[in-house]
Amino acid sequence: MIKIVAVGKLKEKALRMQIEEYEKRLRPFTKLEIIEVPDENAPQSNSEAENEIVKDKEGERLLSKIKDGEYVILLDLWGEMIDSIAFAKKLESIQIYQSPNITFVIAGSLGPSKDVVKRADYRWKLSDLTFTHQMTRVLVLEQIYRGYMIQHHNPYHK
């Protein structure tokens, strides 16, 4: 099973439609669950200490949705960047040797709390580019789908 736990609500209709499309495409391969947790107000005027409080509150919400035994992949600017083929192999290896349940965590705009980083089994950096958190959901789903296509030797990857 694949689970995505993300801070904030997805509001853009076009992105929701893309997510629905990948949900449909993933059905033959895995069960998919997407969980949204509320975000905290984080004005630009916040101090560093106030931002840490925001990250901690969001982090507690994220962690409450993760069960023991789930393998956690944190989307993280300081994570490892890998290509799609390596990602497909990683997905397969995790589900065979570590846990059939993989949870992808997308933290809020300030990044993950220390506790969320500590809980992560793997920290994955999608790109050096910056994406909205909503767009990140679509990109993660597309890469998961691409991973399954690679595993099944499907020409989608080309």
Side-chain angles (χ1 to χ4, degrees):
M1 182 178 124
I2 299 288
K3 180 164 61 175
I4 296 176
V5 182
V7 171
K9 267 233 177 288
L10 187 63
K11 297 172 185 129
E12 292 85 1
K13 184 179 179 182
L15 294 177
R16 278 197 321 266
M17 289 173 58
Q18 288 236 286
I19 285 173
E20 288 169 10
E21 177 63 25
Y22 284 112
E23 286 176 324
K24 188 172 62 178
R25 289 182 185 196
L26 282 166
R27 279 189 201 125
F29 304 105
T30 188
K31 185 177 177 213
L32 177 68
E33 181 180 8
I34 299 175
I35 299 172
E36 297 176 333
V37 300
D39 56 350
E40 285 289 311
N41 188 23
Q44 294 284 346
S45 60
N46 267 5
S47 69
E48 195 61 38
E50 289 169 320
N51 282 341
E52 286 302 314
I53 292 168
V54 167
K55 291 193 315 188
D56 287 344
K57 286 180 181 178
E58 291 176 345
E60 287 172 13
R61 292 179 190 139
L62 291 167
L63 291 169
S64 74
K65 303 300 180 186
I66 300 170
K67 297 179 180 136
D68 290 341
E70 293 177 350
Y71 187 97
V72 175
I73 297 177
L74 174 63
L75 278 289
D76 190 347
L77 294 174
W78 292 272
E80 178 183 21
M81 275 199 319
I82 55 177
D83 65 22
S84 296
I85 293 171
F87 179 72
K89 289 177 183 173
K90 183 157 199 65
L91 274 182
E92 185 175 41
S93 175
I94 291 166
Q95 290 188 307
I96 291 171
Y97 299 110
Q98 292 172 294
S99 175
N101 301 312
I102 302 175
T103 297
F104 291 82
V105 175
I106 303 171
S109 61
L110 298 175
S113 70
K114 289 179 181 120
D115 289 338
V116 171
V117 172
K118 197 181 310 177
R119 175 60 180 89
D121 296 296
Y122 180 71
R123 295 164 67 186
W124 179 33
K125 180 177 182 176
L126 274 178
S127 172
D128 283 330
L129 299 171
T130 303
F131 303 110
T132 65
H133 290 83
Q134 290 81 13
M135 179 98 38
T136 299
R137 293 184 205 184
V138 174
L139 294 171
V140 167
L141 282 170
E142 193 281 336
Q143 285 301 300
I144 293 167
Y145 177 69
R146 183 177 296 273
Y148 281 112
M149 292 294 95
I150 291 167
Q151 289 174 24
H152 290 85
H153 310 289
N154 188 292
Y156 172 84
H157 176 61
K158 302 287 183 210

